[in-house]
């Protein structure tokens, strides 16, 4: 629902509110992104119902991420990647951590769950390493259709192999 405007907008955007307030921002630096969905599904509604916001003291550094994008610094951006919803979904879906580990072992600058999960994405500088991680995820049968993509210079995504 709320992410449909983002998908139509294309490019890199800051999403606020419940995802409906979008602001175009500097595009992500050139890289390769591996996306893998574990062989299960989760209910976004249930994830948010189980999230105990009052217990969360540390939040992702959004301003730091924006600074990294503005500086065109992929390493700085990757160092800021985190997802508080992984606290809820991660323990219920152990394959999330397995996929993240494979991505990092194969050169991902960061690997985290996307949104409420269970999909995981990894950011790679090296295309070959992204495909090696994809091959290992498939070998371990952790995802049926992982795929590699890369951003266009304007921030829009192009499907990979």
């Amino acid at each position: 629902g709320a992410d449909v405007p983002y998908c139509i907008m294309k490019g890199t955007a800051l999403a606020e509110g419940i995802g409906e307030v979008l602001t175009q921002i500097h595009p992500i630096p050139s890289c390769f992104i591996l996306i893998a969905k574990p062989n299960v599904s989760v209910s976004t509604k249930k994830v948010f119902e189980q999230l105990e916001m009052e217990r969360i003291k540390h939040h992702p550094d959004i301003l730091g991420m924006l600074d990294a994008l503005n500086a065109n610094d992929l390493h700085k951006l990757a160092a800021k990647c985190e997802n508080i919803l992984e606290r809820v979904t991660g323990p219920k879906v152990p394959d999330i951590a397995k996929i993240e580990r494979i991505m990092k072992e194969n050169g991902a600058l960061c690997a985290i769950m996307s949104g409420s999960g269970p999909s995981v994405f990894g950011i790679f500088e090296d295309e070959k390493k992204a495909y090696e991680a994809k091959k290992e995820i498939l070998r371990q049968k952790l995802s049926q259709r992982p795929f590699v993509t890369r951003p266009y210079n304007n921030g829009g995504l192009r499907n990979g192999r």
Side-chain angles (χ1 to χ4, degrees), residues 61-75:
D61 182 5
I62 303 302
L63 292 178
M65 293 181 80
L66 292 171
D67 287 344
L69 287 170
N70 288 333
N72 205 40
D73 188 331
L74 188 62
H75 286 264

Side-chain angles (χ1 to χ4, degrees), residues 109-128:
L109 300 176
C110 73
I112 63 170
M113 185 182 79
S114 176
S116 58
S119 296
V120 174
F121 71 91
I123 298 175
F124 294 79
E125 286 183 297
D126 184 310
E127 182 178 23
K128 183 179 177 189

Side-chain angles (χ1 to χ4, degrees), residues 20-144:
E20 82 286 9
V21 180
L22 300 172
T23 305
Q24 192 91 35
I25 58 176
H26 194 279
I28 187 171
S30 180
C31 62
F32 298 89
I33 301 170
L34 171 57
I35 301 172
K37 180 193 172 292
N39 300 313
V40 298
S41 294
V42 298
S43 164
T44 298
K45 180 179 186 277
K46 288 182 181 176
V47 170
F48 277 95
E49 287 173 351
Q50 295 170 11
L51 182 64
E52 298 173 342
M53 284 299 293
E54 65 282 353
R55 296 183 68 192
I56 298 172
K57 304 296 183 223
H58 174 80
H59 292 271
D61 182 5
I62 303 302
L63 292 178
M65 293 181 80
L66 292 171
D67 287 344
L69 287 170
N70 288 333
N72 205 40
D73 188 331
L74 188 62
H75 286 264
K76 185 176 175 184
L77 175 68
K80 299 289 181 182
C81 288
E82 52 187 316
N83 182 346
I84 61 173
L85 294 176
E86 198 162 335
R87 297 172 189 188
V88 176
T89 310
K92 294 176 176 28
V93 185
D95 285 353
I96 291 171
K98 292 176 185 174
I99 291 170
E100 289 173 345
R101 179 185 47 76
I102 290 168
M103 288 181 179
K104 289 176 184 173
E105 287 175 351
N106 283 278
L109 300 176
C110 73
I112 63 170
M113 185 182 79
S114 176
S116 58
S119 296
V120 174
F121 71 91
I123 298 175
F124 294 79
E125 286 183 297
D126 184 310
E127 182 178 23
K128 183 179 177 189
K129 290 180 179 181
Y131 280 100
E132 288 170 0
K134 174 184 174 181
K135 185 190 295 186
E136 183 61 20
I137 289 165
L138 284 167
R139 190 188 71 72
Q140 292 191 30
K141 297 181 168 73
L142 295 170
S143 177
Q144 293 179 357

